């Protein structure tokens, strides 16, 4: 295995670990937002993550050029707006429908990469997109009514797709610490602004809520953003998006393991299709020339 292949495999494993952590948060988030407003929870969560990352990586931030600083701010604003739209949409639709519509970033990502970066998307990736979409539908859907909540969530999926494409284009492995910290500060500011209408965020109400918030801030927030930023310096955006569609698979697995949900054929079939999609684009031996990691292949302006 070449050095490039080893790094690509390590990046894929890192994304899978990050996605597993995201999947573990669904039950925790439900417990916390039952006791505090969603925007307040997001503001506290990302503010803690931003403070931790800036304390640890402020020297890396200082080494970023002005262009990368502004790129980090823009990436954070895109992601923060996506978080707010997703959670607002979740208050109007069921979690299962929200999970499916959010997962549509797997469709938006190759479209945006084609339109914005003029990247050629191989046919195998489009096949994987179709499999992942069908898998997400089996995992999440029990009917779909197109209302305001769906449209808000669909817009959040578009923003997540844009974030994945832009991060893959701009991220460089040696700048991952600094760029991650800048993004997290921008996300926190966006979420804090969303709470300005009622005088700022309320704090978690009890010790259990604080523990859950700290876990989601430090591991599922700061740690996940750092891993995603580093991994996307070594993976094409469309492949990263398909790997990240394993999030509902992990969420379902944790729900079954914790006794929240029962194992069903839909979970098995949907999870199998999502994993098959990931296999197509990431694990199947490639024919012809090897891909060049995006950090080495692309340095021109969008």
């Amino acid at each position: 295995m070449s050095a490039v292949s080893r790094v690509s495999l390590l990046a894929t494993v890192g994304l899978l670990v990050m996605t597993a952590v995201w999947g573990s948060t669904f039950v925790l988030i439900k417990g916390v937002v039952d006791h505090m407003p969603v925007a307040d929870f997001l503001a506290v969560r990302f503010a803690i993550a931003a403070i931790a990352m800036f304390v640890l990586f402020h020297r890396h931030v200082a080494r970023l050029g002005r262009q990368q600083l502004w790129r980090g701010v823009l990436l954070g604003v895109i992601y923060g707006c996506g978080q707010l739209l997703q959670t607002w949409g979740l208050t109007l639709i069921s979690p299962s429908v929200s999970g499916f519509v959010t997962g549509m970033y797997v469709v938006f990502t190759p479209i945006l990469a084609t339109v914005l970066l003029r990247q050629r998307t191989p046919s195998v990736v489009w096949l994987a997109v179709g499999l992942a979409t069908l898998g997400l539908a089996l995992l999440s859907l029990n009917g779909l009514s197109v209302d305001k909540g769906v449209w808000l969530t669909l817009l959040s999926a578009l923003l997540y797709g844009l974030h994945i494409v832009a991060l893959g284009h701009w991220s460089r492995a040696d700048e991952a610490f600094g760029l991650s910290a800048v993004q997290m500060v921008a996300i926190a500011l966006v979420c804090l602004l969303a709470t300005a209408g009622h005088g700022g965020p309320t704090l978690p109400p009890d010790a259990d809520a604080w523990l859950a918030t700290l876990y989601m801030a430090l591991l599922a927030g700061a740690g996940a953003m750092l891993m995603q930023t580093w991994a996307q310096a070594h993976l094409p955006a469309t492949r990263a998006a398909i790997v990240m569609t394993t999030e509902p698979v992990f969420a379902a697995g944790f729900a079954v393991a914790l006794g929240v949900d029962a194992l069903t054929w839909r979970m098995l079939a949907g999870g199998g299709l999502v994993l098959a999609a990931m296999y197509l684009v990431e694990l199947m031996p490639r024919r012809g020339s090897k891909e060049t990691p995006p950090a080495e292949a692309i340095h021109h302006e969008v």
Side-chain angles (χ1 to χ4, degrees):
M1 182 182 291
S2 68
V4 169
S5 297
R6 284 195 296 271
V7 171
S8 178
L9 179 59
L10 184 60
T12 299
V13 172
L15 278 183
L16 278 174
V17 171
M18 177 201 77
T19 306
V21 171
W22 281 347
S24 72
T25 64
F26 278 62
V27 176
L28 293 174
I29 289 173
K30 180 174 175 57
V32 175
V33 299
D34 283 345
H35 299 94
M36 63 186 298
V38 170
D40 292 30
F41 160 68
L42 290 175
V44 173
R45 171 188 174 184
F46 286 114
I48 293 171
I51 291 169
M53 291 193 75
F54 196 79
V55 168
L56 289 173
F57 304 127
H58 62 277
R59 289 187 177 87
H60 295 83
V61 173
R63 288 198 290 267
L64 293 176
R66 181 178 297 181
Q67 185 181 59
Q68 283 298 84
L69 283 172
W70 281 112
R71 286 173 172 176
V73 170
L74 179 58
L75 287 166
V77 169
I78 291 170
Y79 191 92
C81 289
Q83 283 277 312
L84 288 169
L85 288 169
Q86 181 187 5
T87 50
W88 285 335
L90 182 58
T91 64
L92 303 173
I93 56 178
S94 71
S96 61
V97 174
S98 175
F100 169 72
V101 179
T102 301
M104 292 303 291
Y105 64 72
V106 74
V107 176
F108 289 129
T109 299
I111 294 173
L112 289 169
T114 300
V115 172
L116 297 179
L117 304 182
R118 293 179 172 83
Q119 291 180 356
R120 179 183 174 275
T121 302
S123 56
V124 69
V125 172
W126 289 113
L127 175 59
V129 166
L131 288 175
T133 303
L134 181 57
L136 288 169
L138 282 173
L139 278 167
S140 306
L141 286 186
N142 289 304
L144 176 62
S145 58
V146 180
D147 55 19
K148 182 180 178 181
V150 171
W151 289 115
L152 287 172
T153 310
L154 192 64
L155 183 56
S156 78
L158 178 64
L159 290 176
Y160 288 147
L162 181 60
H163 179 264
I164 291 168
V165 170
L167 184 60
H169 187 62
W170 289 336
S171 179
R172 298 170 185 171
D174 60 340
E175 297 176 339
F177 293 121
L179 191 62
S180 299
V182 173
Q183 286 182 83
M184 196 58 67
V185 170
I187 294 168
L189 290 175
V190 168
C191 294
L192 285 168
L193 285 174
T195 69
H198 55 268
T202 56
L203 298 178
D206 53 46
D208 288 342
W210 267 112
L211 286 173
T213 301
L214 287 171
Y215 170 79
M216 287 179 280
L218 300 177
L219 194 58
M225 179 60 70
L226 177 60
M227 178 57 70
Q228 184 185 1
T229 301
W230 176 83
Q232 284 205 242
H234 302 285
L235 293 174
T238 51
R239 283 166 59 195
I242 291 171
V243 171
M244 286 189 284
T245 58
T246 55
E247 180 180 358
V249 179
F250 286 116
F254 280 110
V256 171
L258 295 173
V260 177
D261 286 330
L263 184 65
T264 66
W265 73 267
R266 290 171 65 111
M267 287 184 183
L268 291 173
L273 286 171
V274 171
L275 293 176
M278 190 185 72
Y279 175 84
L280 277 178
V281 298
E282 185 56 42
L283 302 180
M284 182 183 293
R286 293 177 177 81
R287 298 177 181 176
S289 60
K290 296 179 180 178
E291 290 184 0
T292 305
E296 299 174 8
I298 303 174
H299 291 302
H300 60 271
E301 294 300 310
V302 177

